[in-house]
Amino acid sequence: MRFSSLVDRLDAPGGAAWHIHHEARLAEARGEDVILLSVGDPDFDTPAPIVESAVAALRAGDTHYTPIAGRQELREAVARLQRRRGGVPTAAGDVMVVAGAQNGLFSAALCLLDPGDEVLVLEPIYATYEATLAAAGARVVRVAASPDDGFRPAVGALAGAVTPRTRAILLANPNNPSGVVMTEAEMAAVAAVARRHDLWVVADEVYESLVFAGAHRPFRALPGMAERTVKVGSAGKIFGLTGWKVGFVVAPPALMPVLSRAHQFLTFTTPPNLQSAVAFGLGKPESHFAAMRAGLQRSRDRLAGGLAARGFAVLPTAGTYFLNVDLAPLGVTDDAAFCRRLVVEHGVAAVPVSAFYAEEAVRSVVRFCFAKSDATLDAALERLEGVAGRAEATPAP
Ligand code: PMP
């Protein structure tokens, strides 16, 4: 029997980001002692009142389909948060509830892109983007970031990458894996290219609540951008309820009915009680989000300080759950081999950052998730003792 040609397009290199994680999960299932600092999944519990709200809704019989665009109370809660955060006028009608940000990215790709279209993506690029765009028949055009530039988005190279087939710019801000948060000037440079060439901007802002210094600026807030920006967000990252897969898209009015049409066959709706519980959580005052952020910032500093003390060159991270270490000073030239050794010999799972770059561009950076308990981070650090001193002995693949 044969498969569709789509399955080949879905086999994009980004998937390699999770190989080590999947192997580590299997090792864990076999009873091996592995600390998972690989995927962006916090190990703290979802806030109890949010869980209770979901349970109470179920008990009260809240088990049926919601409207396709999502429950009104959740759309209103997302709109309120957007207005509060970026000062961008946002109505509930501009919000569509989706089954996690990934589902939102896929819907946006299906609704905005034709086969053969090109999408400029600022590296480092999140692991699912290439396959997501390929599913719509579109092609990623990578705009390379340079280690020499602290992995900042190469916005100066965007205009030169535009061709007659360019249809959109896709960016993650804050960025996964780098933890870089774009400056106002970088965002303005992207906006200028989008306006000049009449492009959509898909702004993946799933980590918008996790910016440690200053406030996150939604891309839609830039002058003239609300009408051409599709913002993708996720409650998973806001409250540490990643498995619930409740996300949202904020889009210009003309796109909403089109997104609804796509969702009629993609997911129809997402679980009603989870939508209500997320709406309840989003209603919390800003101080609640600030406290969550402060806790994560402490975890970042704990892991960063511990890694630096053990001889690793830690790259700055301004947001997200992630920090990166540059292993080039230790002579490492194959981050995937290094990560494999880290799991097998030391029982710590991390992600090789080469998976987020064009082949061969970056081969010596590793990403750790710091959204873990102090005990977990300390245990991982203990296992990493002495590793930096021996890193150059990484065997060739
Ligand atoms: N975009 C980025 C940058 C992410 O890191 C993630 C999750 N790791 C997603 C999208 C997908 O989020 P969700 O789980 O809400 O689908």
Side-chain angles (χ1 to χ4, degrees):
M1 297 299 282
R2 68 186 192 91
F3 301 128
S4 72
S5 59
L6 174 66
V7 296
D8 293 327
R9 296 206 299 277
L10 299 184
D11 189 24
W18 291 309
H19 287 171
I20 304 267
H21 176 71
H22 294 320
E23 280 170 28
R25 286 291 292 260
L26 289 175
E28 199 183 36
R30 287 194 301 270
E32 291 171 32
D33 178 18
V34 186
I35 299 177
L36 300 175
L37 303 186
S38 29
V39 290
D41 201 356
D43 70 357
F44 50 78
D45 290 334
T46 302
I50 297 181
V51 173
E52 287 314 316
S53 158
V55 172
L58 272 187
R59 292 227 161 91
D62 190 8
T63 55
H64 300 279
Y65 293 133
T66 68
I68 287 179
R71 190 159 263 182
Q72 187 65 9
E73 62 182 295
L74 178 52
R75 299 173 80 196
E76 268 163 16
V78 171
R80 216 168 26 244
L81 197 73
Q82 297 305 306
R83 290 196 297 272
R84 188 165 83 205
R85 292 270 169 86
V88 213
T90 310
D94 302 328
V95 179
M96 164 111 196
V97 177
V98 292
Q102 180 53 42
N103 183 226
L105 288 166
F106 185 48
S107 314
L110 290 187
C111 292
L112 303 181
L113 304 171
D114 279 316
D117 281 348
E118 294 173 1
V119 179
L120 304 183
V121 190
L122 290 158
E123 278 191 339
I125 82 170
Y126 176 59
T128 66
Y129 289 173
E130 200 155 7
T132 303
L133 301 179
R139 198 168 71 80
V140 162
V141 175
R142 291 165 173 270
V143 180
S146 158
D148 304 335
D149 207 15
F151 298 100
R152 297 212 67 84
V155 294
L158 262 183
V162 174
T163 75
R165 292 308 315 243
T166 310
R167 194 69 174 269
I169 299 169
L170 168 57
L171 55 89
N173 184 40
N175 183 279
N176 175 8
S178 69
V180 163
V181 175
M182 291 174 84
T183 62
E184 185 78 24
E186 286 166 344
M187 290 168 75
V190 175
V193 174
R195 269 194 307 266
R196 193 171 334 123
H197 297 280
D198 193 21
L199 305 175
W200 287 102
V201 175
V202 178
D204 179 343
E205 297 177 343
V206 300
Y207 297 101
E208 65 186 321
S209 289
L210 306 177
V211 173
F212 303 126
H216 177 255
R217 179 110 152 106
F219 203 84
R220 295 175 63 248
L222 271 73
M225 282 301 112
E227 65 257 35
R228 61 175 70 249
T229 300
V230 181
K231 177 220 177 83
V232 180
S234 176
K237 306 296 178 177
I238 297 178
F239 297 115
L241 40 81
T242 47
W244 287 22
K245 300 299 291 184
V246 177
F248 52 89
V249 173
V250 188
L255 192 55
M256 294 314 286
V258 182
L259 280 171
S260 285
R261 205 183 305 159
H263 272 270
Q264 213 137 244
F265 70 85
L266 276 176
T267 58
F268 203 66
T269 62
T270 52
N273 63 317
L274 301 186
Q275 291 191 42
S276 290
V278 168
F280 164 75
L282 289 178
K284 300 251 175 216
E286 202 53 43
S287 56
H288 173 86
F289 300 97
M292 286 189 60
R293 210 162 31 238
L296 274 170
Q297 189 167 349
R298 276 194 298 279
S299 301
R300 175 198 67 173
D301 295 345
R302 191 177 195 97
L303 186 61
L307 286 169
R310 285 163 181 79
F312 290 97
V314 180
L315 299 169
T317 189
T320 72
Y321 289 153
F322 308 112
L323 65 76
N324 293 208
V325 295
D326 185 3
L327 303 170
L330 305 176
V332 171
T333 53
D334 185 341
D335 53 359
F338 177 85
C339 286
R340 238 170 274 128
R341 210 188 82 185
L342 214 54
V343 174
V344 174
E345 294 177 17
H346 302 280
V348 177
V351 167
V353 163
S354 51
F356 301 81
Y357 283 89
E359 237 169 290
E360 305 295 326
V362 172
R363 301 295 303 265
S364 60
V365 179
V366 166
R367 188 196 80 178
F368 292 97
C369 173
F370 55 76
K372 304 288 172 184
S373 68
D374 287 355
T376 301
L377 295 177
D378 291 350
L381 285 166
E382 210 169 286
R383 293 177 185 197
L384 292 169
E385 192 73 59
V387 170
R390 297 194 301 274
E392 70 279 7
T394 304

